Amino acid sequence: MSEKGDLRYFDYAATTPADPRVIEAMFGCLGLEGDFGNPASSSHGAGQRARRLVEQARKDVAALIGADAGDIVWTSGATESNNLALKGYADRATEKRHLITSQLEHKAILDTMTCLEARGMPVTRLAPNAQGEITAEAVAAALRPDTGLVSLMLVNNEVGTLTDIAAIARVVHAAGALLHVDAAQALGKTAIDVKAMGMDLLSMSAHKVYGPKGIGALYVSPEAFERIAPQMHGGGHERGLRSGTLATHQIVGMGVACEIARNEMQEDSERIARLGERLLEQVLAVPGVTLNAAHAKRIAHTLSLTFDLPGFFPFLLTGDLAISSTSACNSAAGSPSHVLTAIGLGEEAASRTVRLSLGRFTTQEDVDFAADCMLRAVAPCTPVAAAL
Ligand SMILES: Cc1ncc(COP(=O)(O)O)c(C=O)c1O
């Protein structure tokens, strides 16, 4: 099922519907008959049962990223995880106060960096190379003796590029700095192993991986733990790093979502890659239509297409397809995408760009429908498309 009214859903990078298995597990944590207890209420069975569910979910999240369960801290989503990692570091950093990030990051990083800059932390924002990638060489060139933390995304939310985090971790650690990775778009789509890849901090969000909105997590390595100050004070939950009563139903939803992702990610990704190829075959046949970051290492789920054709505007598609003309946050701001301009698109090309993101419930019929919509939309703009 991927149809809602007449609109086909191609915006999985903005958010995913919760998997029915996730919804079922969440229901079991809400009512009197279920596991509604406060996980911190250790004096009775209701609290103890909720605690067991929360700890199982912690194990399921940890297993998806190769972490130890004790290193997972619950948050409200990737925005909060990013804020906790960066501001938490800034609050404890006395000497190594220089921060590095990239121009391709999500606003949850970029705006947090701007906030820290105003507090006197020097920030370097790396530009991508011609393929739209941030390389280990670029990071190495920006590292300084006072660099304390580097924050980069694993998968870009607009163009789907993959960052070579393992190579970057080696240069970052050689300089005595910490590596924070925003994995909101990577979780459940590409293999993550925090230890093998050398990540110190990793931000995750459940609603990008068929879990509920309003829950996420931050992986904090034992080395990083001492260097991060809490941003939410209160009852001392989550080893003092993030206070607040744990939302059992949300956490259980995220745990089940991660367990499903671990079991089904490979198969899902292969199927989505085949669907993406099928879509691209049809659409890229039109001269003037290009796939952004086509030569970079990318995930198959996110396709950024520029229709360099006079007369083409994204609204020609949005009557039939739930897509975004940029990331959801840029859509809200109404400004051209900072990611597209950073990878070299002019303002006009950026305004003729759409992001289609595919997911677990995308069907071949959806993809053919989308291709057909695009061919119909561009037909008046190009005689070649009209003949296809
Ligand atoms: C790369 C990236 N980071 C962070 C976020 C924010 O995540 P959340 O919605 O969980 O706060 C998003 C969501 O769009 C994202 O794509």
Side-chain angles (χ1 to χ4, degrees), residues 13-14 77-80 82 106 108 153 155 157 182 184-185 205 207-208:
T79 299
E80 186 190 332
N82 287 345
H106 190 271
M153 61 197 345
V155 169
N157 49 313
D182 179 350
Q185 294 288 339
S205 182
H207 76 93
K208 310 282 190 187

